[in-house]
Amino acid sequence: MCVVADITDHKIADQVLAERSAELEALNQELTNTVAALAASNAELLAARQELEHLAQHDNLTGTWNRRRTEEAVKLEMLRKARYGHPVSMLYIDLDHFKRINDTHGHAVGDDVLKVFCDIARKCMRSTDMLGRWGGEEFVIVTP
């Protein structure tokens, strides 16, 4: 006795299935690569955004808050004072005769003086106090 079965359709179906599986695997790999590239791009964008936020709020030379950010902090503290009665003080500091330092020793030395002043001020401040550069050699310390 002999049984004969035509498996041509099965072979064709297996071939098509293998081709489709290879295509899906290639698409899956492409998708994985795209997702990895997007993740890397998102990380770069996040880092750039954080850098821009830092630059928008800080003085480039001293690392203190810039005038805009300091004004925001003062407004916030004044609102807090009005609402909750929390005391707040603001110190306005102007480094006397600073122009003479720049004129006599140069702007690089003047920049160093500003940086050293900020380092000293930070060491004297509480963790809740905020130091900002108001402009030139003028600084503000907000003390909630």
Side-chain angles (χ1 to χ4, degrees), residues 60 79 137:
N60 195 35
L79 289 171
E137 74 281 0

Side-chain angles (χ1 to χ4, degrees), residues 1 6 10 16 26 32-33 35 65 68 71 76 79 85 96 99 118-119 124-126 144:
M1 173 169 211
D6 184 2
H10 288 289
V16 169
T32 301
N33 293 342
V35 168
W65 284 355
R68 187 175 136 263
E71 287 176 346
L76 181 65
L79 289 171
D96 288 340
K99 183 178 180 331
C118 290
D119 290 341
C124 297
M125 293 168 41
R126 303 170 300 176

Side-chain angles (χ1 to χ4, degrees), residues 14-65:
D14 285 345
Q15 180 70 26
V16 169
L17 182 60
E19 289 171 2
R20 297 285 187 238
S21 291
E23 289 172 6
L24 286 174
E25 185 61 36
L27 287 173
N28 190 33
Q29 185 60 46
E30 185 179 330
L31 181 60
T32 301
N33 293 342
T34 301
V35 168
L38 285 173
S41 293
N42 282 342
E44 290 174 12
L45 284 172
L46 178 61
R49 180 176 170 233
Q50 289 171 337
E51 177 67 17
L52 285 174
E53 286 177 0
H54 179 81
L55 291 172
Q57 296 181 1
H58 291 84
D59 175 61
N60 195 35
L61 176 66
T62 62
T64 62
W65 284 355

Side-chain angles (χ1 to χ4, degrees), residues 61-113:
L61 176 66
T62 62
T64 62
W65 284 355
N66 61 20
R67 184 174 182 149
R68 187 175 136 263
R69 179 63 182 100
T70 302
E71 287 176 346
E72 290 172 2
V74 169
K75 287 176 187 174
L76 181 65
E77 290 305 323
M78 295 309 291
L79 289 171
R80 193 171 307 189
K81 178 186 179 350
R83 181 166 185 180
Y84 302 110
H86 292 167
V88 62
S89 297
M90 187 172 93
L91 292 93
Y92 179 81
I93 302 163
D94 184 5
L95 303 180
D96 288 340
H97 312 294
F98 185 75
K99 183 178 180 331
R100 191 177 332 159
I101 292 171
N102 278 340
D103 291 347
T104 304
H105 303 287
H107 289 278
V109 172
D111 290 350
D112 289 341
V113 168

